[in-house]
């Protein structure tokens, strides 16, 4: 049985450590932190941005795009490079 966890405040001190522990146990984690405007996504490789697949926390350009996201939900997202970091410019349900 696959378990999915939504960690609110996933980029904070406690939330980020909780995410690390859940990932170590093999769980898929999607963390949403509306306070900091960030989302943690499990994604496939993105060759044109030179990103290997994995799980990573991204800043979100518009915090409103986080509304309605659910744990384990499949999403499509647009990503732009901004200096040394990546920013999610759009995210939507893939279904």
């Amino acid at each position: 049985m696959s378990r999915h966890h939504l960690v609110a405040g996933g980029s904070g001190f406690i939330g980020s450590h909780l995410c690390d522990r859940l990932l170590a146990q093999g769980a898929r984690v999607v963390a949403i932190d509306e306070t900091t405007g960030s989302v943690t996504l499990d994604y496939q490789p993105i060759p044109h941005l030179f990103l290997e697949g994995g799980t990573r926390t991204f800043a979100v350009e518009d915090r409103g795009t986080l509304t309605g996201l659910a744990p384990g939900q499949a999403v499509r997202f647009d990503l732009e490079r901004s200096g040394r970091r990546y920013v999610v410019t759009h995210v939507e349900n893939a279904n």
Side-chain angles (χ1 to χ4, degrees):
M1 179 175 156
S2 178
R3 297 180 77 187
H4 300 283
H5 302 273
L6 173 66
V7 179
S11 65
F13 180 77
I14 295 171
S16 66
H17 286 282
L18 176 59
C19 288
D20 290 342
R21 179 169 230 166
L22 290 168
L23 286 169
Q25 294 173 359
R28 180 175 175 214
V29 177
V30 175
I32 301 167
D33 193 333
E34 292 185 38
T35 305
T36 62
S38 64
V39 61
T40 303
L41 300 172
D42 182 18
Y43 60 94
Q44 297 299 313
I46 307 172
H48 69 280
L49 291 175
F50 306 104
L51 282 176
E52 296 180 5
T55 303
R56 185 174 182 161
T57 301
F58 296 101
V60 176
E61 187 175 69
D62 175 12
R63 293 179 189 184
T65 61
L66 299 176
T67 304
L69 291 182
Q73 182 179 38
V75 295
R76 284 188 214 81
F77 63 99
D78 295 325
L79 193 63
E80 289 182 2
R81 189 170 188 160
S82 176
R84 298 183 70 184
R85 66 186 199 135
Y86 297 91
V87 177
V88 172
T89 57
H90 178 79
V91 63
E92 67 182 28
N93 188 331
N95 297 324

